[in-house]
Amino acid sequence: MPGPELWSYVEIGLHIRVQTETVRSYKRHGLLPPPDRVDAGGHPRWYPETIRAWALARPGHR
């Protein structure tokens, strides 16, 4: 049975309507919340709820 859904940079970008590279830049600059998980390949992943809450609180993007 699969676990809960986790989002990558791609899904985050689609949710907040920016390019994937913009989301990566947010991560590099410490603007994303810490990942909820890191997959076996070392890629960060977030629960949709984490990103939705973060997106609502982003300055200038309410």
Side-chain angles (χ1 to χ4, degrees), residues 1-53:
M1 181 162 106
E5 178 183 15
L6 290 166
W7 284 1
S8 68
Y9 295 123
V10 172
E11 288 85 12
I12 295 170
L14 290 170
H15 180 71
I16 63 172
R17 298 180 181 174
V18 300
Q19 296 293 318
T20 301
E21 189 53 39
T22 300
V23 180
R24 290 183 208 280
S25 176
Y26 290 169
K27 173 83 165 68
R28 283 193 301 273
H29 291 93
L31 301 174
L32 279 178
D36 293 303
R37 304 262 175 148
V38 176
D39 69 15
H43 304 105
R45 301 288 186 242
W46 293 262
Y47 292 119
E49 298 78 23
T50 300
I51 295 304
R52 287 182 186 118

